[in-house]
Amino acid sequence: MNGQNRKDILPGITVDIVLKKDQRTGTLTRGIVKDILTKSPNHPHGIKVRLTDGQIGRVQQIHSK
């Protein structure tokens, strides 16, 4: 599942995000969602989230529990 729809993302789920510094390379960082930062219902580049470790990026992939 991609991370373009806000309704698919809930705090506590595991996701892969791309950090701002990694946008050129596309390197993904895995973590657990703490906060959802994007207010709109969808975003073409992925919903922006804050992970539990404080990193912020756009969701590229959602992992089921």
Side-chain angles (χ1 to χ4, degrees):
M1 201 180 311
N2 68 22
Q4 295 181 347
N5 295 314
R6 192 174 193 275
K7 66 177 176 55
D8 297 334
I9 301 168
L10 300 168
I13 66 170
T14 302
V15 295
D16 288 337
I17 65 169
V18 64
L19 303 172
K20 184 78 170 178
K21 68 180 179 73
D22 294 332
Q23 283 180 344
R24 287 179 182 245
T25 63
T27 303
L28 297 178
T29 302
R30 184 164 293 181
I32 298 171
V33 175
K34 180 179 179 185
D35 301 310
I36 301 170
L37 304 177
T38 300
K39 299 298 183 201
S40 65
N42 53 43
H43 192 283
H45 299 125
I47 299 297
K48 190 179 280 189
V49 297
R50 178 181 294 117
L51 301 180
T52 54
D53 63 4
Q55 297 185 94
I56 295 174
R58 295 198 179 272
V59 177
Q60 302 300 304
Q61 187 72 32
I62 300 171
H63 298 277
S64 56
K65 290 187 176 185

